[in-house]
Amino acid sequence: MIETVSRWKSHGGVQGVYRHASSTTASRMTFSVFVPPLAPGAIAPVVWYLSGLTCTHANATEKAEYRRTCAELGLIFVVCDTSPRGEGVPGDPNGAFDFGFGAGFYLDATEAPWSANYRMWSYVTGELPDVIAANFPADMARQSIMGHSMGGHGALTIALTLPDRFKAVSAFAPIAAPSQVPFGRKALRGYLGDDEAAWRAHDSVALIEDGKRFGTQVLVDQGDADEFLDENLKAPLLAEACKAAGIDLTLRMQPGYDHSYYFISTFMADHLRWHAERLR
Amino acid sequence: MIETVSRWKSHGGVQGVYRHASSTTASRMTFSVFVPPLAPGAIAPVVWYLSGLTCTHANATEKAEYRRTCAELGLIFVVCDTSPRGEGVPGDPNGAFDFGFGAGFYLDATEAPWSANYRMWSYVTGELPDVIAANFPADMARQSIMGHSMGGHGALTIALTLPDRFKAVSAFAPIAAPSQVPFGRKALRGYLGDDEAAWRAHDSVALIEDGKRFGTQVLVDQGDADEFLDENLKAPLLAEACKAAGIDLTLRMQPGYDHSYYFISTFMADHLRWHAERLR
């Protein structure tokens, strides 16, 4: 059972926000779905969008400017939260922005106390797809995935691990090698423990080194004025890993763009067209 | 002197947020400006956007989805605040959403204590245009104006009063006849006093009845599922006044749309194209 929080007509389709009791994260989870205008009985491909640190479903829903193009191309667009939240869910004791609430890193935590709720990997790849299939006119045989920053990390690692599920994958300014950067090392150690071997399943560069491949080409946009590029995102490491593995990566360094939704919204239509071509 | 609060590259242009000490409102005012990609030395027409109740510059800047089309058409887009704010500026004593902060109604108050700061008419038609002309590559001979709800009221009343200044005018769900509706009567009485004759300069329907005319055609979009339509917006009164006066109004009742930015963003590109045609 899902509860409708809000529902707006937009660009001829319906933008909704929904809530449900998630058994995976043992918490109530909120997500948004845009359904484009469809003929009665028709179904549409599903584009998954994973957000970055500090975000809820609301950031991309309000600011990513995907509805016009999704309506035009006939794409369902799903935005989930970035962590469990709410009563009984532990957050970072110091209220950090890069751990706990808003910082689930799209993995299943194995360390207490996080392991009871911080199971975003299983939520995003298992429970939520079932919810979407059951409640929306979704063609689950045609899915693709994209994300921003921490969500770019999520989109890449999920697509590398489930290459047959996704017809397209792209990212905006992804955390490409979390094992090697401050944001990632803190989160991976906290959620998965000190054994760095366990981190490799949640690091795109490590996954590629370990033989994983996408089922398709990859598109990444990265602003060259992004304040997180050098220390935490490290697009060059992804480019090197893809080159060494023979993966067809289109990495576009975008001059003057930063890490914000003003960057994402600029290139969203490009990404959606890239996805739509591969979802046909 | 204006201070740059934030500045982002977006859609090839620059979205900025700026602050300055306004002599008109005796307060610090914040506004946003999008400058499209321009050749060196080039100037561009200016589209003014006036927001609705409770908004600051941020709502439209983040959610109205104007940048792609403004970049394509070469339009500067200015969003101002909806009232003075800050230290020493009185707000509604009960914290009402429809009076005081966020509810300036684009008029110059004559009643104490509001008259010292609530001078949004003079700010939007006088001081801020001077600031834009001095600090941005703006072609002030080519201006147009649009707005939403209270800001639709502002756009219509300003364009009726200064018909030679604006090459185009449009509105999303405007408060068309504030003298006749609860939101408007409260604000007009509070800011201008009990003499309803003084209200007519700030009521589109009354201005038209009193002989004012736009310099051009008018475009209005109104959702038929808008929760404020019947009691506070009253598009039919505008349609009747325009018909009686021979004003060329295009009023589009949009089925299923409400009062939100999901409605505005759906039709923003249409409005900008309408403006661009008349700004050529």
Side-chain angles (χ1 to χ4, degrees):
Chain A
M1 279 295 294
I2 67 171
E3 169 197 352
T4 300
V5 177
S6 314
R7 209 166 175 278
W8 303 273
K9 186 165 178 184
S10 192
H11 290 92
V14 174
Q15 177 65 61
V17 174
Y18 308 93
R19 197 153 42 204
H20 70 129
S22 163
S23 55
T24 307
T25 67
S27 65
R28 294 186 68 73
M29 298 292 292
T30 304
F31 60 94
S32 85
V33 180
F34 177 71
V35 177
L38 292 174
I43 57 176
V46 178
V47 179
W48 292 86
Y49 180 92
L50 306 184
S51 304
L53 287 168
T54 77
C55 291
T56 68
H57 71 282
N59 303 64
T61 304
E62 295 174 359
K63 301 198 281 195
E65 303 193 13
Y66 55 81
R67 278 175 290 274
R68 173 171 299 279
T69 310
C70 283
E72 182 190 325
L73 300 173
L75 302 173
I76 290 175
F77 196 90
V78 179
V79 183
C80 60
D81 205 342
T82 54
S83 76
R85 296 174 198 268
E87 215 177 333
V89 180
D92 182 85
N94 304 311
F97 75 93
D98 55 359
F99 196 82
F101 300 144
F105 269 84
Y106 305 102
L107 51 74
D108 288 349
T110 53
E111 295 291 297
W114 320 109
S115 52
N117 305 100
Y118 286 78
R119 304 187 64 232
M120 291 299 292
W121 179 276
S122 293
Y123 178 71
V124 168
T125 65
E127 184 175 10
L128 190 55
D130 289 344
V131 168
I132 298 300
N135 292 280
F136 298 91
D139 181 353
M140 302 303 282
R142 292 192 293 159
Q143 297 182 59
S144 70
I145 191 163
M146 66 168 70
H148 171 233
S149 196
M150 177 182 73
H153 143 76
L156 296 173
T157 54
I158 289 172
L160 282 164
T161 308
L162 301 169
D164 296 337
R165 186 183 295 185
F166 299 101
K167 309 288 187 210
V169 54
S170 70
F172 302 94
I175 300 179
S179 308
Q180 303 185 46
V181 303
F183 285 166
R185 292 185 65 81
K186 176 178 176 180
L188 295 172
R189 176 168 283 114
Y191 293 129
L192 301 176
D194 290 334
D195 178 5
E196 296 196 18
W199 301 5
R200 297 184 70 81
H202 296 287
D203 180 303
S204 300
V205 167
L207 282 166
I208 292 168
E209 289 170 357
D210 292 348
K212 297 285 189 187
R213 296 295 178 267
F214 300 104
T216 175
Q217 300 156 307
V218 189
L219 172 64
V220 173
D221 274 315
Q222 171 64 62
D224 75 359
D226 187 322
E227 59 272 36
F228 300 110
L229 174 56
D230 291 341
E231 193 178 356
N232 276 296
L233 304 176
K234 296 205 178 286
L237 294 183
L238 181 65
E240 286 163 27
C242 285
K243 192 176 175 193
I247 292 172
D248 188 354
L249 167 70
T250 300
L251 171 60
R252 308 192 302 190
M253 295 302 295
Q254 300 289 4
Y257 287 89
D258 69 5
H259 201 64
S260 71
Y261 271 90
Y262 297 100
F263 155 65
I264 298 171
S265 62
T266 298
F267 299 105
M268 177 57 78
D270 282 3
H271 282 237
L272 290 169
R273 289 186 202 292
W274 166 285
H275 284 239
E277 281 170 20
R278 288 159 181 79
L279 286 164
R280 273 199 198 108
Chain B
M1 279 295 295
I2 67 171
E3 167 197 353
T4 300
V5 178
S6 315
R7 209 165 174 277
W8 304 272
K9 187 165 177 184
S10 192
H11 291 94
V14 174
Q15 176 65 61
V17 175
Y18 308 93
R19 196 153 45 203
H20 70 129
S22 163
S23 56
T24 307
T25 68
S27 65
R28 294 185 69 73
M29 298 292 291
T30 304
F31 60 95
S32 84
V33 180
F34 177 72
V35 177
L38 291 174
I43 57 176
V46 178
V47 179
W48 292 86
Y49 180 91
L50 306 184
S51 305
L53 287 168
T54 77
C55 290
T56 68
H57 71 283
N59 304 63
T61 304
E62 296 175 358
K63 301 199 280 195
E65 304 194 11
Y66 54 81
R67 279 174 290 272
R68 173 171 300 277
T69 310
C70 283
E72 181 191 326
L73 300 174
L75 303 173
I76 290 174
F77 196 90
V78 179
V79 183
C80 61
D81 204 343
T82 54
S83 77
R85 297 174 198 268
E87 215 177 334
V89 180
D92 183 85
N94 304 311
F97 75 93
D98 55 359
F99 195 82
F101 300 144
F105 270 84
Y106 305 101
L107 51 74
D108 288 349
T110 52
E111 295 291 298
W114 319 108
S115 52
N117 306 100
Y118 286 78
R119 303 186 64 232
M120 290 300 293
W121 179 276
S122 293
Y123 178 72
V124 167
T125 65
E127 185 176 12
L128 190 54
D130 289 345
V131 168
I132 298 299
N135 292 280
F136 298 90
D139 181 354
M140 301 305 282
R142 294 191 291 159
Q143 297 182 61
S144 69
I145 191 163
M146 64 168 72
H148 171 233
S149 196
M150 176 182 74
H153 143 76
L156 295 173
T157 54
I158 288 171
L160 282 164
T161 307
L162 302 169
D164 297 336
R165 186 183 296 186
F166 299 101
K167 308 288 185 210
V169 55
S170 71
F172 302 94
I175 300 177
S179 307
Q180 303 185 46
V181 304
F183 284 165
R185 292 185 64 81
K186 176 179 176 180
L188 295 172
R189 176 168 284 115
Y191 292 128
L192 301 176
D194 290 334
D195 179 4
E196 297 196 16
W199 302 5
R200 297 185 69 81
H202 296 286
D203 180 304
S204 300
V205 167
L207 282 166
I208 292 168
E209 288 170 357
D210 292 348
K212 298 284 189 186
R213 297 292 178 266
F214 300 104
T216 176
Q217 299 156 308
V218 188
L219 172 63
V220 173
D221 275 313
Q222 172 64 61
D224 75 0
D226 186 323
E227 59 273 38
F228 301 110
L229 174 55
D230 291 342
E231 193 176 357
N232 276 296
L233 303 176
K234 295 204 179 286
L237 293 183
L238 181 65
E240 285 162 28
C242 286
K243 191 174 177 194
I247 293 172
D248 188 355
L249 167 71
T250 299
L251 171 60
R252 309 191 301 188
M253 297 301 295
Q254 300 289 3
Y257 287 89
D258 69 4
H259 201 64
S260 72
Y261 271 90
Y262 296 99
F263 156 66
I264 297 170
S265 62
T266 298
F267 300 105
M268 177 57 78
D270 282 4
H271 283 237
L272 290 170
R273 289 184 203 293
W274 165 285
H275 284 239
E277 281 169 21
R278 288 159 182 80
L279 286 163
R280 276 201 194 105

